[in-house]
Amino acid sequence: MAREIAEQPAAVRRALEALLPLRADVRALFADRRRVLLVARGSSDHAAIHGRYLLEACAGIPASLAAPSIATHYRADLDLADTLVVAISQSGTTEEIVATADWARGHGAAVVAVTNVEGSLLAKGADLALVTQAGPELAVPATKSHLTQLVAVAVVADALGAEVDPEGSDDQWRRVAEEVALAVERAQLVEPAVPLLQAAEHVVVSGRGMCLATALETALKIEETCLVPVRGYSYADLRHGPISVVGPDVAAVLVAAQDGPMTAAMTDVADDLRRRGARVVGIGGDIPFARACDVHVPGPDLPEPLAPIGLVVPAQLLVERLARALGRDPDSPRGLAKVTRTDTH
């Protein structure tokens, strides 16, 4: 896992080199369509959540997350002629995702596959395959494959009008690769957060808006890699009840971009949690946010729409070190396999 986290700067550069030239193909597939449906599970679902925020908040395109059982179990007869489906699977062989993409195409949708495996079932069945070029990933927890999925959904959103790089020079994309490399270089900055989380009886992770997907991915990684029960929340949900049980036995990990409409609110959440006795680890955010946390890990110098690509790296580094501190094997968590298998019958 540690080695594959370190490989991410090169993986991001490969992904950008392969995917940016395909923006015109994505636009062509979307022609005369009006909405996007994202299909995924697990870590891939968190990339899909980020894609939804980008498409709706930045590109102005209605987007939603599919419930695959609508296709695989209920076999619903839906008119998807106005829909571009983006199906996301690291391996491209997750049966449920492949079946849902095939079902969508059979009901009139155009399908874009986001996968790390060229020639996979998902890639072969799609109208366009965005192969993320992460390279072989051996550790069970997805790191570089997830990161390049975030790149892929950002490229899709950019193609459909999100204007990630309004100048058209692709300078913003180069900054993404540079910020990922910087996060890897300063990996030691996550170390002070490890004992804080190691000592906690309960852990919650929270973010909102563009950073919600990073918070949910961080919670999943802590749970599956460290075998620690964790809840991932939007901060809006955290404040509507769960925060009432927060006390000194709780550690909170908060994720925020350095700009955007959610950063000040995340600072307020950090203050609130600390008043209730919780210890707070902050990743990213601005100076007031950093001051509101017990331990702060710097995030990327990227605008909010691209920030999650950089924010997930220190989160991954923190999880890998926490797993080792707890005596766990971060490369092969108990009871997990690399390819997600779901009942489709």
Side-chain angles (χ1 to χ4, degrees):
M1 185 178 178
R3 183 179 67 249
E4 288 167 356
I5 292 171
E7 292 170 359
Q8 289 183 127
V12 168
R13 293 186 182 98
R14 288 194 302 270
L16 290 172
E17 184 178 354
L19 301 183
L20 287 176
L22 298 178
R23 285 175 289 185
D25 299 300
V26 175
R27 280 192 292 271
L29 275 180
F30 190 68
D32 301 321
R33 301 178 191 270
R34 60 172 299 273
R35 59 179 177 152
V36 176
L37 184 65
L38 298 123
V39 182
R41 285 289 191 202
S43 286
S44 299
D45 197 45
H46 300 151
I49 290 170
H50 183 52
R52 179 185 180 182
Y53 273 97
L54 288 173
L55 287 161
E56 293 195 331
C58 300
I61 295 170
S64 59
L65 305 179
S69 60
I70 293 296
T72 60
H73 286 72
Y74 293 102
R75 307 187 191 284
D77 186 13
L78 302 182
D79 181 359
L80 299 177
D82 68 344
T83 304
L84 175 67
V85 165
V86 179
I88 310 172
S89 168
Q90 296 154 19
S91 66
T93 60
T94 301
E95 185 179 354
E96 185 180 38
I97 305 305
V98 173
T100 302
D102 290 344
W103 165 84
R105 199 159 184 246
H107 286 78
V111 176
V112 172
V114 175
T115 178
N116 192 35
V117 182
E118 188 170 5
S120 62
L121 288 173
L122 186 64
K124 288 179 179 177
D127 297 287
L128 175 66
L130 303 184
V131 181
T132 56
Q133 308 294 330
E137 190 173 60
L138 301 180
V140 171
T143 53
K144 60 181 181 174
S145 61
H146 173 72
L147 188 75
T148 53
Q149 286 177 345
L150 292 175
V151 171
V153 297
V155 168
V156 169
D158 188 50
L160 301 186
E163 294 189 341
V164 168
D165 190 2
E167 302 300 322
S169 63
D170 291 338
D171 284 345
Q172 291 275 43
W173 296 109
R174 281 189 283 273
R175 281 185 58 203
V176 168
E178 291 166 0
E179 289 296 322
V180 169
L182 182 60
V184 171
E185 289 170 9
R186 55 189 188 188
Q188 74 281 359
L189 296 181
V190 308
E191 295 288 354
V194 173
L196 188 152
L197 294 178
Q198 188 178 2
E201 292 184 28
H202 305 284
V203 178
V204 297
V205 186
S206 187
R208 197 174 182 188
M210 300 285 181
C211 294
L212 174 60
T214 308
L216 296 177
E217 173 67 7
T218 303
L220 175 64
K221 284 292 181 286
I222 294 173
E223 192 159 47
E224 69 181 6
T225 306
C226 302
L227 306 183
V228 174
V230 181
R231 292 297 302 270
Y233 296 98
S234 162
Y235 80 63
D237 294 326
L238 178 61
R239 281 189 148 169
H240 278 85
I243 202 166
S244 65
V245 298
V246 169
D249 59 343
V250 172
V253 180
L254 304 183
V255 185
Q258 66 176 359
D259 62 3
M262 304 300 178
T263 306
M266 291 304 299
T267 303
D268 291 341
V269 171
D271 286 331
D272 193 359
L273 289 167
R274 290 182 73 192
R275 280 195 298 269
R276 295 169 185 268
R279 304 294 301 280
V280 177
V281 175
I283 302 176
D286 57 8
I287 292 173
F289 175 77
R291 289 172 177 164
C293 300
D294 292 289
V295 175
H296 178 255
V297 180
D301 181 16
L302 291 170
E304 186 187 22
L306 292 174
I309 302 174
L311 284 168
V312 77
V313 181
Q316 294 167 345
L317 290 162
L318 175 57
V319 170
E320 194 274 340
R321 282 158 172 74
L322 177 61
R324 288 194 285 106
L326 292 169
R328 313 296 188 192
D329 179 359
D331 300 334
S332 186
R334 186 180 67 204
L336 296 181
K338 189 65 182 167
V339 178
T340 302
R341 301 196 182 280
T342 334
D343 176 21
T344 58
H345 305 295

